[in-house]
């Protein structure tokens, strides 16, 4: 189990958060959001995905966004690349890191990628190999690692086996994803403890959703099991299209408040992060913000009332 108290957050609002948004967000506004997130101390940002613009029109500006973001100081830019064509585009754009998504079940791969599980494994291995050949780091997501909306509960040995395949292929980080937000803290802790028997905990991250209101509790379960890497999305932006009524991703501000309150430094400036969330709300036209932001607003209101 890791004794390092520092939490490392990969911010995913720009990719996972915005990809399902109906209207196109101009590149300039995405860039401004990225800058605000960086200003808050989030230095690992999954900015976009190199998929077909016909599939996800929101991310049609992937090359332009990366090109305009590369000069930000101390920001590690990551991008999703689902296939060889995507990874070649990502490499040409100058990203620092490439991510692949492999679902733990055959049905989810067919629904999400149009591939069988075996085909998806082969495609992920090829993307990782291409990225590694250019000396790029790679993050391998194991999606629906706890429960699949089509096949139900996922056995932990399947997750361990797929994780081992991705590491053998050359992945530099594994991200275990509760894609539909169905996991409980007990499940998260169990899967993390099983994984860390054979895989160093500093290679494992968690990608959590807050569908059932257990995102922060699941993050704490991961921390308790020795995990120090987490994905999160400012304001809780995003969510899984296969999870009806999904509330979105684990809000970055909730993760930061919980971790910092429990003695696990994140390096994130909460007030600056709240500014980024407010901007994300403005450009999406949606009311965003995790429980932490609501608490901060209430505290601020009470403080003003007391001083008046």
């Amino acid at each position: 189990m890791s004794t390092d108290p520092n939490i490392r957050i990969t911010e995913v609002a720009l990719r996972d958060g915005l990809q399902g948004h109906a209207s196109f967000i101009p590149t300039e506004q995405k860039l401004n959001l990225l800058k605000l997130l960086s200003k808050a101390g989030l230095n690992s940002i999954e900015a976009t995905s190199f998929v077909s613009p016909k599939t996800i029109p929101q991310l049609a500006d992937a090359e332009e966004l990366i090109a305009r973001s590369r000069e930000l100081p101390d920001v590690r830019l990551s991008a999703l690349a689902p296939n060889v064509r995507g990874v070649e585009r990502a490499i040409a754009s100058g990203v620092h890191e490439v991510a692949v998504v492999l679902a733990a079940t055959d049905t989810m791969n067919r629904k999400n990628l149009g591939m069988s599980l075996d085909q998806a494994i082969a495609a992920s291995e090829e993307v990782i190999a291409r990225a590694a050949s250019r000396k790029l780091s790679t993050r391998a997501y194991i999606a629906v690692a706890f429960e699949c909306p089509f096949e139900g509960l996922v056995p932990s040995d399947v997750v361990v086996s797929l994780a081992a395949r991705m590491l053998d292929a050359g992945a530099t980080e594994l991200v275990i994803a509760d894609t539909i937000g169905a996991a409980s803290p007990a499940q998260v802790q169990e899967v993390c403890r099983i994984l860390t028997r054979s895989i160093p905990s500093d290679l494992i991250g968690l990608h959590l959703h807050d569908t059932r209101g257990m995102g922060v509790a699941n993050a704490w379960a991961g921390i308790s099991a020795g995990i120090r890497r987490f994905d999160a999305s400012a304001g809780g932006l995003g969510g899984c299209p296969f999870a009806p009524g999904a509330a979105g991703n684990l809000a970055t501000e909730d993760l930061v408040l919980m971790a910092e309150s429990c003695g696990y430094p994140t390096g994130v400036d909460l007030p600056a992060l709240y500014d980024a969330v407010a901007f994300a709300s403005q450009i999406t036209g949606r009311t965003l913000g995790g429980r932490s932001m609501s608490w901060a607003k209430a505290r601020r209101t009470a403080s003003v009332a007391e001083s008046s």
Side-chain angles (χ1 to χ4, degrees), residues 156-166 168 195:
S156 56
D157 60 339
V158 170
V159 178
V160 172
S161 174
L162 293 175
R165 288 287 297 269
M166 293 300 97
D168 288 344
L195 282 167

Side-chain angles (χ1 to χ4, degrees), residues 87 91 126-138 169-171:
V87 76
I91 290 167
E126 188 171 10
V127 168
I128 291 169
R130 289 287 184 102
S133 71
R134 302 297 184 90
K135 301 190 183 327
L136 291 182
S137 299
T138 49

Side-chain angles (χ1 to χ4, degrees), residues 1-7 188-189 192-193 201 206 208 216-230 255-256 258-260 262-266:
M1 181 182 293
S2 175
T3 57
D4 180 2
N6 294 289
I7 300 298
V188 170
Q189 196 164 65
C192 289
R193 284 178 173 166
S201 60
L206 284 173
L208 303 168
V216 169
N218 285 338
W220 177 248
I223 290 173
S224 299
I227 305 304
R228 299 292 182 266
R229 295 177 181 268
F230 293 87
L255 173 61
V256 170
M258 181 274 287
E260 296 276 357
C262 296
Y264 293 88
T266 64

